[in-house]
Amino acid sequence: MRDTEEQFMNRFQNIIAVDEPKLVAAQAARWSLDRQYIRNDGFEALEAFKRRRKEVLELLRGLKPEQWDRGGIHPTRGRMSIKDFVVIMADTTRTIWNN
């Protein structure tokens, strides 16, 4: 989750800076190998996630109403707005924390 949070932040910053950018698909399967998850301390990873989530929330709280509709082109889902990504973030977080 900490790495997907980083990706959401990158996407939001890209969408805010560029009109309708082409977005890169998540590489979650590779992240576990490249970032050596098995060697990470779980508590440290959770703290890193919390820090990243706080940064994302600060960015989102600062958006102007019209910025919520800005979007980018996802390689498999098509056009997605910042609003659309926030729905995915909330749903994913709820699903993970409830299991």
Side-chain angles (χ1 to χ4, degrees):
M1 285 192 64
R2 115 191 115 182
D3 293 329
T4 57
E5 201 70 18
E6 178 183 319
Q7 184 173 37
F8 281 124
M9 177 62 103
N10 291 337
R11 285 178 173 171
F12 294 154
Q13 290 170 332
N14 195 12
I15 289 169
I16 291 166
V18 178
D19 287 334
E20 302 294 323
K22 290 184 180 177
L23 305 172
V24 178
Q27 301 292 319
R30 281 193 44 196
W31 290 341
S32 64
L33 297 173
D34 292 348
R35 298 181 179 196
Q36 296 292 304
Y37 288 165
I38 198 157
R39 296 174 189 231
N40 292 181
D41 177 89
F43 292 107
E44 288 177 18
L46 178 60
E47 290 305 312
F49 163 73
K50 288 178 182 179
R51 283 191 305 274
R52 288 190 175 144
R53 175 58 60 101
K54 183 179 176 184
E55 292 168 0
V56 168
L57 291 175
E58 287 173 4
L59 179 130
L60 293 173
R61 286 184 186 113
L63 291 180
K64 297 173 185 164
E66 63 273 11
Q67 289 178 304
W68 285 90
D69 292 320
R70 288 185 62 87
I73 309 304
H74 189 278
T76 58
R77 296 177 184 225
R79 186 186 189 282
M80 294 188 68
S81 68
I82 290 176
K83 241 189 285 191
D84 296 328
F85 281 115
V86 170
V87 169
I88 290 171
M89 289 172 68
D91 187 51
T92 301
T93 302
R94 184 179 59 244
T95 299
I96 289 171
W97 292 111
N98 288 333
N99 286 324

